[in-house]
Amino acid sequence: MLFDTPAYLFFLSLVVITYWHLNFRWQNFLLLIASYVFYGWWDYRFLSLIFISTVVDYYSAHFISNSHKPLRRKIALIISLSINLGFLSVFKYYNFFADSFAHFLALLGMHVSHACLRIILPPAISFYTFQALAYIVDVYYHRLKPADSLIDYALFISLFPHLIAGPIQKPSHLLPQVQRPRVLSMNQLLGGLVLIASGLFRKCVIADNCALLADAAFEGKLGQPNLAVTAIGTYAFAWQIYGDFSGYSDIARGSAQLLGFHFPINFRQPYFSLSLQEFWRRWHISLSSWLRDYLYVPLGGNRNGELQTNRNIFVTMLIAGLWHGANWTFVLWGAIHGLGLCIERIFRSIFRFPKTHSHKAQQEYFFSSPVSFLKLTLTFHVVCFTWVCFRAPSINDAFQFLKGITRLAWMPEYATAFLFLAIFTAPLFVIDLVNEWRREEYPMEKHNPFFRVVVALSLVVASLIFAGNSTNAFIYFQF
Amino acid sequence: MPLSTSSSDDNRDQTSLALRRAIVAILSGLIIIVALIEVSIRGYFWKMSVTHDRIRLEAAAAVQIKKRAAGPKNILLLGNSLLQAAVNIEELNRHLQPNWRVIRFSIDQTTYYDWYYGLRRLLAEGASPDVVMFCAEPRHIICSSVHNEIFAYYLMHRKDILDVSQKLDMTPSQTFELVLANTSAYWALRKEIRKNLLGRLLPGLRDLALLFAQRAIEPTRLEEILISSKARLKEIKEIAASRGSLLGVVLPPPLTKEHAYALSSLGEDICVPIIAPLTNDNLRYTDYERDGYHLSAEGREKFTRAMSAALLDALDEWELAFSSPITP
């Protein structure tokens, strides 16, 4: 059930209306059933997988919490992590590693036939696995008490607004909300609806229309890669993936808000970043936070000198790349970001640049200085070009596409394509500019309700009229 | 934005009342907007879009076709953009009169299943042509998809929704959208509305869209075409026969001689005349549009001439084969 379909809007309305007529315990039960219906709508065959994973983690967490013997606690932790990562490895990465290994052996002159299983990727597995890992690790380190009720824990894992493609929720943030009654104020209701309207606009109008250009450029329909085609494809995909994922996140947050849950913001105008480090504080914030807390810090973080810090950063970004998909293009994407972050650190320490900017300083810096504008332009283009790895089916295709920069060619259709791109990226750029200026967690939260309703309805009408091809699923659903 | 905890009953009551009022207000607003858009589309879109005005008129004309005791007999010609590009209907009718009259009903990007269900709906709504001619290239006959929203609105009868869903292995969401498109003109035509509005904003969009629409023509094995075509043409023949109509097939270019011959022979086996007026060998590159797929004005003239001759021969053979003029 895609978020931008009438089926989902009907489903959400039904759930929300029923939900607020029930008491707290029945609310959780209803949400759990609704979440499993939502997941089963995608693919009912994998309901048992998420259920098994949930039950194993629930009992493991209780065992870990109740046991006083360090060895037993560690064994339970390892079992739980192994089962979660095992499912993820088999379903998502088996064929990738098997093919890559066979290819590697072939390069050495050894030809092996390997079992290539037609394994279907269960929807949402990357997301709920990371969520479960965070939970079990937090319980192990006594940062969190395990959920008393299996229903509460199952709901924490499978709550439908964030089930398929995040945002990945910190257990310490979401689980307490699941375990206590929720309320809904008018402000929260309006905030939720505005978020959903904003999300639909980002996805249906911006992302789906940019997708037409991106697909045409990458599939060779605009001709062989040349400077114009590479520019069109790169920029179009950059805005497609941003509109798509931020749109999805907004709908997820808005849907959760209507049920009384608070999901933190997941995108903070990432294309206004002045460095890659800042980009990763603004893009997919829930993932970068998870990677920081559960991978980078356990690896040692920045506690053991510059060399090890850079190693930890690089490894973390490689894993981030691999998490996105079972393809070397994603690994390359992660590696480029990792390398970029390390280079920034080195430059910062050599030239003693300030590490982070406060909110106020950032605002002045971004708008007023030519140097900061250059940094923004450079960061934006580095990010855009790494997106080519995301979009291209193989590393070779990515390089061939980028090589087009060296070729000059023109046809009149390119002018139309650039104009089309401008029409469908300008609105999101303006929205981001306003959000960057106002720095609100919820769009227009300080405005009066009437204004918010008018803006939301305008976004809905624009989505109804200018929605692109609705068969484009959210990009992050494939992860 | 902080969340507050509360004792459940009082807060639940407050929340319920406020929520009910707010939801009623918001839903009412949304319903009004959707209703306004729906009424506007039904009333005015045809005036904005030449294509959809044509489709609407052709659909209405197709339903009105009735068998007559006197006067020219009716041929309902169904197809997609290949038909529009390949056949000049006025010219074809000039060649076929006074005994035959062709009424065209064509919708872009439609294939076999669009017209399988489309014919069912037309006949259910009262159409009764003497002859149904299905114009499609071989890959479209064996294609297993439909033109989604446009199909649901113009071609699909509501009672066929579950059959369509099962036959085409649709997901619940896709089926739900078909139901919506079958009911709502806005939902069915929203992509066309968007194209229309963007076309007015960006005059060069049509040329750009032609580039988007390019697709590599993948070769299909003849054996596969023959096996699938045999079964499918028999099915659609039965639908036509349920209202006493005869079925024939016209194969437009691009078409190889091999495919043309093989399919014509298949047609003889299953008693469905399959005519191939022109093949690739009879056409030059100037007979095609820039996409190398649809016929240009030059190609259309050639094809129409060839088709009228081939169609007349086929209709004469039909009449001879049944030893009487074609009657219901």
Side-chain angles (χ1 to χ4, degrees):
Chain A
M1 209 185 300
L2 295 174
F3 273 8
D4 60 338
T5 58
Y8 175 74
L9 297 173
F10 180 73
F11 168 82
L12 178 67
S13 305
L14 203 61
V15 170
V16 167
I17 290 169
T18 313
Y19 175 85
W20 289 109
H21 282 85
L22 301 174
N23 68 29
F24 162 59
R25 279 287 150 213
W26 281 104
Q27 283 177 344
N28 280 6
F29 188 66
L30 167 73
L31 281 185
L32 183 62
I33 300 295
S35 300
Y36 279 0
V37 165
F38 179 80
Y39 189 76
W41 194 281
W42 283 88
D43 198 326
Y44 65 90
R45 295 172 294 181
F46 295 111
L47 278 171
S48 51
L49 191 70
I50 191 173
F51 183 70
I52 290 168
S53 166
T54 299
V55 169
V56 164
D57 293 329
Y58 173 77
Y59 285 108
S60 302
H62 274 279
F63 185 88
I64 289 169
S65 181
N66 296 334
S67 175
H68 300 292
K69 297 196 173 163
L71 183 62
R72 283 191 185 176
R73 297 179 78 242
K74 196 162 236 170
I75 290 171
L77 174 71
I78 290 169
I79 289 172
S80 174
L81 292 181
S82 303
I83 288 173
N84 281 303
L85 290 171
F87 282 155
L88 186 63
S89 305
V90 166
F91 283 99
K92 191 164 178 177
Y93 299 108
Y94 172 80
N95 281 334
F96 169 63
F97 284 117
D99 287 346
S100 300
F101 187 61
H103 188 68
F104 172 69
L105 290 179
L107 288 174
L108 299 176
M110 292 183 272
H111 295 276
V112 294
S113 69
H114 62 284
C116 189
L117 305 175
R118 290 170 61 88
I119 297 176
I120 304 165
L121 179 66
I125 192 167
S126 302
F127 287 91
Y128 71 68
T129 298
F130 267 32
Q131 191 126 323
L133 293 177
Y135 172 78
I136 208 79
V137 167
D138 279 357
V139 169
Y140 180 79
Y141 284 112
H142 303 291
R143 294 197 284 250
L144 187 73
K145 280 167 61 165
D148 290 326
S149 149
L150 177 59
I151 288 179
D152 287 353
Y153 176 69
L155 183 58
F156 158 73
I157 289 292
S158 65
L159 185 62
F160 70 85
H162 83 311
L163 173 60
I164 297 294
I168 303 168
Q169 296 298 307
K170 273 198 172 143
S172 56
H173 182 75
L174 182 59
L175 188 59
Q177 295 183 67
V178 170
Q179 292 172 314
R180 61 177 184 239
R182 276 82 57 180
V183 290
L184 186 70
S185 67
M186 194 60 63
N187 197 34
Q188 285 170 294
L189 172 68
L190 278 179
L193 292 173
V194 168
L195 273 172
I196 291 173
S198 161
L200 285 173
F201 180 79
R202 284 169 181 255
K203 161 62 177 159
C204 300
V205 178
I206 307 298
D208 286 351
N209 282 297
C210 287
L212 291 173
L213 276 181
D215 290 348
F218 279 89
E219 288 166 15
K221 292 179 181 176
L222 298 181
Q224 290 295 314
N226 55 59
L227 181 60
V229 170
T230 302
I232 291 166
T234 305
Y235 292 137
F237 185 70
W239 288 97
Q240 177 195 348
I241 194 169
Y242 175 43
D244 190 279
F245 200 16
S246 63
Y248 166 83
S249 288
D250 277 356
I251 298 173
R253 289 178 68 213
S255 304
Q257 179 105 327
L258 295 183
L259 299 166
F261 291 94
H262 171 258
F263 284 1
I265 199 165
N266 208 19
F267 290 87
R268 277 193 201 280
Q269 301 77 249
Y271 290 155
F272 289 165
S273 304
L274 305 188
S275 65
L276 283 181
Q277 185 190 49
E278 190 182 348
F279 177 78
W280 281 102
R281 287 202 306 272
R282 290 169 173 260
W283 177 274
H284 202 174
I285 297 168
S286 64
L287 176 68
S288 55
S289 303
W290 192 98
L291 290 169
R292 179 197 61 212
D293 295 340
Y294 298 99
L295 189 56
Y296 175 68
V297 167
L299 281 175
N302 60 1
R303 296 190 299 268
N304 300 318
E306 280 303 308
L307 199 60
Q308 288 216 15
T309 302
N310 287 328
R311 179 207 67 182
N312 296 337
I313 289 171
F314 190 75
V315 167
T316 301
M317 292 313 298
L318 275 185
I319 303 284
L322 196 59
W323 176 86
H324 280 87
N327 194 320
W328 289 111
T329 50
F330 297 111
V331 177
L332 178 63
W333 172 83
I336 295 172
H337 273 271
L339 200 60
L341 286 167
C342 294
I343 291 171
E344 274 182 6
R345 276 189 72 86
I346 292 167
F347 265 76
R348 212 175 281 122
S349 66
I350 291 172
F351 295 104
R352 304 212 196 292
F353 287 147
K355 259 200 272 189
T356 55
H357 300 278
S358 67
H359 165 76
K360 206 165 172 342
Q362 172 60 38
Q363 234 173 337
E364 292 165 11
Y365 206 56
F366 163 64
F367 290 116
S368 57
S369 163
V371 171
S372 65
F373 181 75
L374 274 172
K375 283 184 185 177
L376 180 135
T377 309
L378 180 65
T379 306
F380 175 69
H381 282 89
V382 167
V383 166
C384 279
F385 284 116
T386 61
W387 286 136
V388 173
C389 299
F390 236 69
R391 178 59 181 78
S394 71
I395 291 179
N396 186 51
D397 287 322
F399 278 128
Q400 292 305 319
F401 190 76
L402 286 170
K403 246 172 70 176
I405 291 172
T406 57
R407 273 188 70 231
L408 293 176
W410 185 260
M411 51 174 157
E413 286 84 352
Y414 293 159
T416 311
F418 277 113
L419 197 51
F420 186 96
L421 186 61
I423 288 172
F424 285 107
T425 53
L428 186 50
F429 178 78
V430 168
I431 288 171
D432 271 8
L433 209 54
V434 170
N435 287 340
E436 180 74 358
W437 182 260
R438 298 183 69 89
R439 292 290 180 115
E440 292 164 326
E441 189 179 2
Y442 294 90
M444 301 173 295
E445 61 182 328
K446 296 190 178 84
H447 281 92
N448 69 61
F450 179 74
F451 181 77
R452 292 164 84 183
V453 167
V454 165
V455 170
L457 287 176
S458 306
L459 291 173
V460 167
V461 169
S463 304
L464 288 172
I465 295 170
F466 288 106
N469 184 356
S470 67
T471 59
N472 284 325
F474 289 96
I475 294 173
Y476 267 70
F477 281 9
Q478 68 187 297
F479 307 141
Chain B
M1 185 173 294
L3 271 179
S4 54
T5 56
S6 59
S7 66
S8 54
D9 286 345
D10 288 344
N11 280 318
R12 188 161 56 87
D13 289 342
Q14 280 175 19
T15 304
S16 289
L17 191 60
L19 183 67
R20 251 181 254 134
R21 283 181 187 158
I23 286 178
V24 164
I26 289 164
L27 279 177
S28 307
L30 277 172
I31 288 168
I32 289 169
I33 288 175
V34 168
L36 280 172
I37 291 177
E38 182 72 17
V39 163
S40 310
I41 301 303
R42 284 178 188 262
Y44 297 105
F45 184 58
W46 326 112
K47 295 176 186 164
M48 283 170 62
S49 167
V50 168
T51 303
H52 283 273
D53 196 35
R54 174 188 65 75
I55 294 174
R56 187 176 63 102
L57 292 171
E58 286 183 359
V63 169
Q64 298 301 319
I65 298 176
K66 301 277 184 262
K67 290 189 181 64
R68 293 186 287 195
K73 294 193 173 49
N74 291 310
I75 301 173
L76 176 59
L77 183 56
L78 306 174
N80 53 30
S81 58
L82 288 176
L83 166 59
Q84 287 163 42
V87 180
N88 181 329
I89 289 296
E90 289 79 24
E91 192 61 32
L92 182 66
N93 272 323
R94 263 200 293 279
H95 285 291
L96 295 181
Q97 55 183 215
N99 297 326
W100 298 97
R101 185 176 73 114
V102 175
I103 297 103
R104 181 187 68 189
F105 183 13
S106 68
I107 301 179
D108 286 8
Q109 298 177 60
T110 49
T111 55
Y112 172 77
Y113 275 117
D114 292 287
W115 292 110
Y116 171 87
Y117 290 104
L119 187 58
R120 275 163 66 128
R121 177 172 166 173
L122 284 170
L123 299 181
E125 287 179 352
S128 59
D130 295 282
V131 176
V132 175
M133 294 296 293
F134 179 42
C135 179
E137 58 130 316
R139 287 173 310 128
H140 292 165
I141 299 176
I142 67 170
C143 180
S144 293
S145 65
V146 289
H147 189 27
N148 290 331
E149 291 93 350
I150 300 292
F151 156 76
Y153 189 69
Y154 286 115
L155 299 176
M156 185 186 77
H157 203 289
R158 196 163 297 165
K159 64 178 169 56
D160 286 331
I161 284 173
L162 288 177
D163 193 45
V164 171
S165 179
Q166 272 176 340
K167 223 173 200 111
L168 300 179
D169 199 23
M170 287 186 165
T171 63
S173 291
Q174 288 169 327
T175 308
F176 189 86
E177 296 215 9
L178 270 193
V179 171
L180 261 185
N182 184 253
T183 316
S184 162
Y186 160 71
W187 195 258
L189 300 171
R190 68 194 192 289
K191 290 174 194 169
E192 309 303 315
I193 294 165
R194 178 182 144 277
K195 252 194 294 191
N196 197 286
L197 288 173
L198 284 178
R200 288 160 198 264
L201 273 176
L202 292 170
L205 190 63
R206 190 181 175 275
D207 292 333
L208 185 64
L210 280 174
L211 291 181
F212 289 173
Q214 283 175 68
R215 60 183 85 82
I217 299 175
E218 288 157 23
T220 316
R221 289 188 317 127
L222 181 57
E223 202 185 314
E224 189 187 331
I225 291 173
L226 290 175
I227 293 170
S228 291
S229 297
K230 187 173 183 178
R232 290 184 176 194
L233 290 177
K234 276 185 177 175
E235 282 178 343
I236 203 170
K237 181 185 168 189
E238 275 170 27
I239 295 172
S242 67
R243 291 285 260 176
S245 307
L246 294 168
L247 176 75
V249 174
V250 178
L251 301 175
L255 180 69
T256 63
K257 232 181 189 167
E258 186 197 18
H259 284 191
Y261 181 74
L263 283 163
S264 295
S265 305
L266 170 73
E268 283 169 15
D269 289 342
I270 59 174
C271 299
V272 173
I274 297 181
I275 60 176
L278 293 177
T279 64
N280 294 343
D281 294 347
N282 307 123
L283 295 162
R284 299 174 307 168
Y285 78 93
T286 51
D287 293 321
Y288 286 96
E289 292 280 5
R290 222 173 112 188
D291 63 7
Y293 187 60
H294 295 88
L295 290 181
S296 62
E298 214 176 298
R300 188 180 316 128
E301 198 191 315
K302 279 187 192 166
F303 187 85
T304 306
R305 230 180 303 125
M307 182 177 163
S308 27
L311 194 51
L312 278 170
D313 287 342
L315 292 167
D316 287 342
E317 276 179 32
W318 246 330
E319 288 189 308
L320 277 174
F322 288 98
S323 299
S324 64
I326 293 172
T327 51

